[in-house]
Amino acid sequence: RNDRGIAVYREAERHARGELLVSELASMLNIGYETALRLIRKGLIPAQRACAGAPWVICAEDVKAYQSSQPDQSQQTADSHQLPFEFQ
């Protein structure tokens, strides 16, 4: 870092730039780690790596865009007039 003039890494600098890791993405979307990786590999959520083996870095704005593009999960059917089955 001294030879190349690279600044020292600060612990909170990634969050200041709005960047997330895969584990943070998974907890933000309430999904598993492997499912988060699958979303990245399919290209549904853009992510970058500095080099092979480096951690994936995801922009928080891209996650918000992905969330807004997903349908509301609270409704289980496309028919809003369909009544739920209630157990007695």
Side-chain angles (χ1 to χ4, degrees):
R1 289 185 174 268
N2 284 339
D3 294 343
R4 306 275 186 218
I6 299 171
V8 176
Y9 176 76
R10 294 182 334 236
E11 189 60 37
E13 91 181 59
R14 189 173 41 78
H15 289 288
R17 290 191 305 257
E19 297 173 345
L20 304 168
L21 297 176
V22 177
S23 58
E24 295 165 327
L25 168 67
S27 63
M28 189 178 193
L29 296 179
N30 197 26
I31 58 176
Y33 185 88
E34 292 297 324
T35 303
L37 276 178
R38 198 173 308 120
L39 291 173
I40 291 169
R41 289 182 181 133
K42 286 183 175 183
L44 298 173
I45 297 178
Q48 295 82 31
R49 279 180 149 176
C51 62
W56 287 103
V57 178
I58 303 108
C59 179
E61 292 299 317
D62 291 334
V63 178
K64 290 176 186 173
Y66 172 77
Q67 285 177 313
S68 65
S69 71
Q70 295 304 300
D72 183 17
Q73 297 296 322
S74 62
Q75 188 176 354
Q76 298 294 319
T77 179
D79 184 2
S80 61
H81 299 301
Q82 185 176 1
L83 298 174
F85 185 77
E86 296 181 22
F87 292 97
Q88 294 181 356

